[in-house]
Amino acid sequence: MYNTILAIESSCDDTSAAIITEGIVRSNIVASQEAHRLYGGVVPEVASRAHQNNIVPVVKKALDDANMTVSQLDAIAFTRGPGLIGSLIVGISFAKALALSQGIPLIEVNHLQAHVLSAFAKKPYPSFPFLCLTVSGGHTQIVLVRAPLDMEIIGQSIDDAAGEAFDKSGKMMGLDYPAGPIIDKLAQKGQPIFEFPQPRIQGYNYSFSGIKTAFKYFLRDQVAENPNFVQENLHDIAASIQHRIVTILLQKLRKAARNLNINQISIAGGVSANSYLREKLQEMGKKERWDTYIPPFEYCTDNAGMIAVAAQFKYHEGIFTDQSVGPLAKWKF
Ligand code: KG4
Ligand code: ZN
């Protein structure tokens, strides 16, 4: 594990670069793209152009912060997918060109596997097997992790992702994109006094489209009676929708952990930055006698540090990629 790797992440709207060496992330630089706020969501064309502008300064800062030069690198890692094709192409092309110029190998990384492996960005690490609840803007998955490169999705959302449920609910409340962190903040001063339905989904799968619809009609009916309903109850509405989403997430996770008899539990992805989810997971973990692993904030939302961690495991196994590699919009593991 004594190799030095530069990792690039450009799958969605964050341009990120990180350096890992001796198993420790030395730098993890993220340039977030503010432009999408104006449109209420990520605009793929705008994202690709911003990656193009950001990638060189972001990589340079990652090297500078780690006190490294390009000549010290042993490999270049990049996110191959899943993600937006135009965005992925910027990171992949950059990684290929740099690897070629330095005569060093390329390592492709699956973005979702990297979210799971963010558990190894900071000690203490979970032991195997463990369960990871990955909750991001595009995915909601319960992953059974047998080894760093041996993982299986045992449950997932059949429609919207948890992050989408946050973002779409927030949009209906008139909040900016991405609404997840705004709801988190508002909810801290509210109480979950409004009730939303519990989806009935088999096994370890999730569904969030039902509560999205229920939320829409709830707001419509309340606003019909009182046009200022949302403004007057902002904190309680935020706390209520957050409570429902988090409860749904944790109930299925508990079911999986009990049935599989696993007590090593981690969370990952943008929604794992949610303070209520973090608090409730810890509470549940105490009751269930789990060892819970909650990533530091910088490893929750999209970042190249997690790509670097995943790449290191691949380097160790001698798994490299050749120069003909291209992006994958969808990539199941
Ligand atoms: O993992 P991520 O950065 O990007 C994807 O791979 O999708 O996740 C982004 C998602 C967005 O839906 C955002 O609203 C949500 O994570 N998110 C949060 C919080 N911070 C980010 N949701 C709830 N509470 C937060 N504190
Ligand atoms: Zn992500």
Side-chain angles (χ1 to χ4, degrees), residues 116-136:
V116 172
L117 294 172
S118 64
F120 297 92
K122 276 262 150 68
K123 282 182 180 167
Y125 304 149
S127 52
F128 298 100
F130 69 91
L131 284 179
C132 177
L133 172 68
T134 307
V135 272
S136 75

Side-chain angles (χ1 to χ4, degrees), residues 29 41 62 83 94 113-114 190 231-232 254 278 281 283 289:
I29 307 299
F94 182 91
Q113 281 189 324
Q231 276 319 309
E232 286 171 10
R254 182 174 58 196
R278 294 164 86 93
L281 177 73
E283 252 177 58
R289 296 175 183 274

Side-chain angles (χ1 to χ4, degrees), residues 63-117:
L63 284 163
D64 288 350
D65 283 14
N67 246 328
M68 295 260 168
T69 60
V70 171
S71 62
Q72 288 171 280
L73 300 175
D74 296 310
I76 315 278
F78 62 89
T79 304
R80 186 181 179 192
L84 302 169
I85 288 291
S87 290
L88 291 165
I89 282 177
V90 178
I92 296 178
S93 304
F94 182 91
K96 279 189 189 184
L98 193 59
L100 198 62
S101 74
Q102 299 301 306
I104 53 177
L106 279 170
I107 301 172
E108 64 180 35
V109 172
N110 181 304
H111 180 87
L112 290 163
Q113 281 189 324
H115 269 305
V116 172
L117 294 172

Side-chain angles (χ1 to χ4, degrees), residues 183-200:
I183 291 182
D184 186 348
K185 238 190 191 152
L186 289 171
Q188 284 165 21
K189 288 186 189 154
Q191 290 300 323
I193 56 173
F194 304 113
E195 293 245 350
F196 302 107
Q198 178 82 17
R200 290 176 198 282

Side-chain angles (χ1 to χ4, degrees), residues 11-12 14 111 115 135-139 162-164 166-167 177-181 184 242 269-271 273-275 300-302:
S11 63
C12 191
D14 293 308
H111 180 87
H115 269 305
V135 272
S136 75
H139 297 84
E164 261 175 302
F166 271 104
D167 295 338
Y177 175 85
D184 186 348
Q242 174 179 268
V271 180
N274 183 269
S275 49
C300 292
T301 45
D302 289 348

